[in-house]
Amino acid sequence: MSRTRLLGIFAWLLVVCGCRYEVEQAGLTGVELSVELSGHAVDQLLISGIAGREPAFDPGTLPAEPRQLGPERESLTVLLSPDLAGETLLVRADGLLGGERVASGAAPVVVERGVLVPLSISLGPAAFCGDGRVAEGIEECDDQDLDGGDGCSALCLIEAGYACDDGQPSRCEPICDATSCPDGCCDGSQCRTRSLSTCGLAGADCTACDTAAADNCSAGGDCACGMRGAACLDGQRCVSGACICDAYSCDGCCDGPTCRRGDEDAFCGSGGVPCEDCSPGICGAAGVCSGCNAETCPDGCCTGATCHSPPALAHCGLLGEACVDCDALRSDNCSPAGACLCGTRAACRPGQRCSAGACICDPASCAGCCDAAGACRGGDEDALCGAGGAPCEDCSPGACEDGGVCSGCNAETCASGCCVGATCHQPSLEHCGAGGEACASCDPDRADACAQGECVCGQEAACGECQHCLGGACRCDPLSCPGCCRGADCLAGTTDESCGRAGAACADCRPSTCEPGGVCSTCSAETCADGCCVGASCHAPPSFEHCGMNGQACVACDRELADACGADGTCRCGQGPACAEGQRCEAALCACDASSCDGCCDARGLCQPGTSNAACGLEGSACADCQQSSSTCHEGECLDCGAQTCPEGCCENNTCQPGDSKQACGTGGEACAKCHGAERCTEHACQIP
């Protein structure tokens, strides 16, 4: 017999005077069912069964003609196909009165071939699939509809490949596992494409790779540096596909690419400097060799046994302490007191970078979003939502979704573009992305276009750290590489076979050694006192292309920022120091104008981003202080509060308000309204609930 047709040959056996008729036939397969009415007044029983999440037989109603049943129990036999033997059958009984369901119950039973298995069901409150309330023991889920294919079937059973919560109604989501996500990783229930931020394979939990230790997610789903290597070890960082040790990664000293503790006599140092062999001396406190200390180096700092005085950005410190290589992203000078600074203030906080002597938050420094005060925020708060260093968005009354975008901008509403808050942008260098993800701002130094939602240089991926995108190709040069260049690759410049700094070509010092500062031991202050070194070559006197003194590594002066190399071996503009970023050296003077500054020029002639209310402007214009007129900086202009500067809120005293409160209600930059009496601000309009 087929399981899909009515197999239940029901023998209606009433309880009469405490006795019941028995089914005499031997070898029958089925269920001897006893239904406890539990005080419910019913005139019919609707019997159904489910096996393997499918109906086991067509439901049947007994008796055919309604009549009062009970009062305590009714018994019946359901004959089943022997093909069901060994399966678990969920038998359900619904009590009907006048054709309406008034009580329900269910119980499981394992079917046995040739046996009438006894089963008792007690009726309880009526259960209705699709009402949004899960009837325990009868339904596994109830999502308030009778649709299939959404995780909860028309029988209120959880469908294969889904998981449902305990809510009323149920919320069901696809299960992410190796079967449903073979080529990616699982972020909760979502299958994510393998990437640096979502790394994994075969349905494993996604891992966000440490961008300092890895630059890609391998085909095997592991964080990796380069196409073949594993992620870098502690004390290393991944640069141009190779694991290196430097001041950004190592607290001790660097023995080639290996970070050492820096407290051994043969490997002495701190702050990521090359390890020094102190023999026959000893490695003292703070990673300096005996012989360099507060007495012998009071006006500078020590790298091993070498005193660096006065303090400099690459050797910052005082009173014979171990030198620190200041983070060039967060500082631009070392003070006479031996502290890393940005301009005249302390080094920038994490998530900021030092530009023209000021700490700014932008895509180059912040993975989240930048708030109005210039601080980098996580970007996952409703009031501070964003990613990729974009300005933080207030999603109110919406919510900040995964990826730093406001609800309302997503893959459905912005399929071909990317989102900044709730705004959809088509892909560009400034707003790069696709599929409704948060926009990223491509670094113009490392990319020249946005293609298929990814920053690219020419036809290839964006350049690596310490490279420049020039003419559609990635290059290594003095403007991008603090170490030395081998072809297009920027190397640390601290090994004997690859020695150099400031973007000079790497020199092979062997059989001599690479000294601190990126020069070979055969070129030093003794052999090149009046010039500077490129590897083992001494360049004297200093020149614009080879600037430096006392055997230090040569620096190529930037023609935009300087016009000469001074007698002291420093790049200069006229009689002063080289110009700051955002300036240019013109007629021996540092100028800030449209050709050098994308933002605005302040009263000191320094280039500012031009996006803050205190310094507003674009294309090298003079910075305007919008705060004086209580206006807002919008695309480089001080604008009064209106539709442009306050599209999601309302204006009060020339200030943009969220527009969702009773005292300030409105949208589209219109004047805020005050809601009166019982009115509430609902969807930016005063309404009576």
Side-chain angles (χ1 to χ4, degrees):
M1 283 188 275
S2 170
R3 289 175 50 186
T4 60
R5 65 183 182 84
L6 175 60
L7 294 173
I9 305 172
F10 295 99
W12 187 250
L13 305 174
L14 301 180
V15 177
V16 180
C17 299
C19 301
R20 63 186 292 275
Y21 298 101
E22 300 290 342
V23 175
E24 298 292 343
Q25 293 117 312
L28 296 178
T29 300
V31 177
E32 284 196 24
L33 182 61
S34 174
V35 181
E36 304 289 337
L37 302 182
S38 305
H40 293 282
V42 298
D43 56 20
Q44 283 181 307
L45 290 174
L46 174 63
I47 307 299
S48 59
I50 295 173
R53 300 189 175 276
E54 298 291 338
F57 53 82
D58 293 336
T61 304
L62 297 172
E65 295 297 327
R67 61 182 176 81
Q68 184 66 41
L69 301 182
E72 295 182 1
R73 70 179 62 84
E74 295 291 349
S75 300
L76 55 103
T77 298
V78 182
L79 299 183
L80 303 169
S81 167
D83 293 342
L84 288 171
E87 294 199 39
T88 299
L89 177 69
L90 180 67
V91 181
R92 173 170 173 168
D94 290 289
L96 308 180
L97 183 62
E100 299 291 332
R101 185 180 300 155
V102 295
S104 301
V109 64
V110 178
V111 180
E112 299 181 32
R113 184 184 295 271
V115 177
L116 296 176
V117 183
L119 179 67
S120 177
I121 295 177
S122 296
L123 295 185
F128 298 90
C129 184
D131 65 356
R133 293 177 292 180
V134 180
E136 187 175 355
I138 301 175
E139 301 172 343
E140 293 180 341
C141 59
D142 196 320
D143 60 356
Q144 214 165 8
D145 65 50
L146 296 177
D147 299 329
D150 57 1
C152 187
S153 74
L155 297 174
C156 282
L157 299 175
I158 299 175
E159 295 175 318
Y162 284 84
C164 301
D165 62 14
D166 296 330
Q168 307 278 2
S170 305
R171 291 194 306 173
C172 303
E173 293 184 348
I175 295 172
C176 184
D177 56 20
T179 301
S180 61
C181 189
D183 299 321
C185 61
C186 295
D187 180 9
S189 64
Q190 298 295 314
C191 178
R192 303 291 188 187
T193 303
R194 196 169 66 249
S195 69
L196 194 60
S197 59
T198 53
C199 189
L201 194 67
D205 289 340
C206 291
T207 298
C209 298
D210 181 355
T211 54
D215 59 6
N216 76 94
C217 180
S218 72
D222 299 313
C223 298
C225 178
M227 301 309 296
R228 296 182 181 179
C232 299
L233 303 175
D234 288 344
Q236 296 178 321
R237 69 185 182 108
C238 183
V239 176
S240 300
C243 292
I244 68 169
C245 172
D246 62 10
Y248 302 114
S249 62
C250 181
D251 292 332
C253 64
C254 295
D255 178 16
T258 303
C259 177
R260 302 235 181 212
R261 294 195 313 270
D263 56 0
E264 304 169 69
D265 292 345
F267 300 100
C268 186
S270 67
V273 299
C275 294
E276 290 270 339
D277 186 351
C278 296
S279 306
I282 60 172
C283 184
V288 295
C289 298
S290 56
C292 187
N293 48 49
E295 293 182 3
T296 60
C297 190
D299 299 323
C301 58
C302 299
T303 300
T306 304
C307 174
H308 295 273
S309 179
L313 194 64
H315 301 98
C316 190
L318 205 64
L319 297 174
E321 295 179 346
C323 293
V324 173
D325 187 351
C326 297
D327 184 344
L329 181 70
R330 295 164 55 188
S331 53
D332 61 4
N333 73 94
C334 175
S335 74
C340 298
L341 302 178
C342 175
T344 58
R345 297 175 179 267
C348 302
R349 292 176 292 176
Q352 295 179 318
R353 69 183 181 96
C354 184
S355 175
C359 292
I360 64 171
C361 174
D362 63 7
S365 63
C366 180
C369 64
C370 300
D371 67 16
C376 179
R377 308 297 290 260
D380 54 1
E381 304 172 61
D382 291 346
L384 296 164
C385 184
C392 294
E393 292 270 338
D394 186 349
C395 296
S396 305
C400 186
E401 304 288 347
D402 290 342
V405 296
C406 296
S407 53
C409 188
N410 49 48
E412 294 182 4
T413 61
C414 190
S416 62
C418 59
C419 300
V420 176
T423 305
C424 177
H425 293 271
Q426 292 307 304
S428 66
L429 200 61
E430 185 178 3
H431 300 103
C432 190
E437 296 180 345
C439 294
S441 180
C442 300
D443 184 345
D445 285 337
R446 298 168 61 181
D448 58 8
C450 175
Q452 298 181 338
E454 300 288 339
C455 300
V456 296
C457 177
Q459 302 299 316
E460 304 295 333
C463 301
E465 188 176 357
C466 303
Q467 289 181 320
H468 266 162
C469 180
L470 297 172
C474 293
R475 305 177 189 274
C476 175
D477 58 23
L479 297 178
S480 64
C481 182
C484 65
C485 296
R486 175 167 291 166
D489 294 330
C490 175
L491 304 182
T494 57
T495 63
D496 294 345
E497 62 270 25
S498 299
C499 187
R501 66 180 294 267
C506 293
D508 189 345
C509 297
R510 296 173 297 184
S512 61
T513 59
C514 183
E515 296 295 317
V519 296
C520 298
S521 56
T522 50
C523 187
S524 63
E526 294 181 0
T527 61
C528 190
D530 298 327
C532 58
C533 301
V534 176
S537 301
C538 175
H539 292 268
S543 66
F544 194 80
E545 289 76 18
H546 301 99
C547 191
M549 287 286 285
N550 297 319
Q552 295 181 344
C554 295
V555 173
C557 297
D558 186 342
R559 295 187 181 279
E560 290 291 322
L561 306 179
D563 59 7
C565 176
D568 60 352
T570 62
C571 298
R572 307 186 70 79
C573 177
Q575 299 300 311
C579 302
E581 183 180 350
Q583 295 179 319
R584 65 187 181 92
C585 185
E586 179 72 19
L589 294 174
C590 290
C592 175
D593 56 25
S595 65
S596 64
C597 180
D598 293 332
C600 64
C601 301
D602 66 17
R604 300 171 295 170
L606 298 178
C607 180
Q608 302 295 339
T611 56
S612 70
N613 290 339
C616 182
L618 294 175
E619 299 179 353
S621 61
C623 293
D625 187 354
C626 301
Q627 300 172 133
Q628 294 182 352
S629 57
S630 299
S631 54
T632 300
C633 185
H634 178 73
E635 297 181 355
E637 292 185 79
C638 292
L639 298 180
D640 289 341
C641 185
Q644 278 187 296
T645 59
C646 191
E648 305 295 332
C650 61
C651 297
E652 185 175 61
N653 297 327
N654 210 23
T655 302
C656 182
Q657 303 292 341
D660 56 1
S661 70
K662 187 171 181 177
Q663 297 300 314
C665 185
T667 188
E670 297 179 350
C672 294
K674 290 187 177 181
C675 301
H676 300 285
E679 291 180 332
R680 296 289 184 270
C681 187
T682 305
E683 296 182 354
H684 298 281
C686 292
Q687 302 178 28
I688 296 178

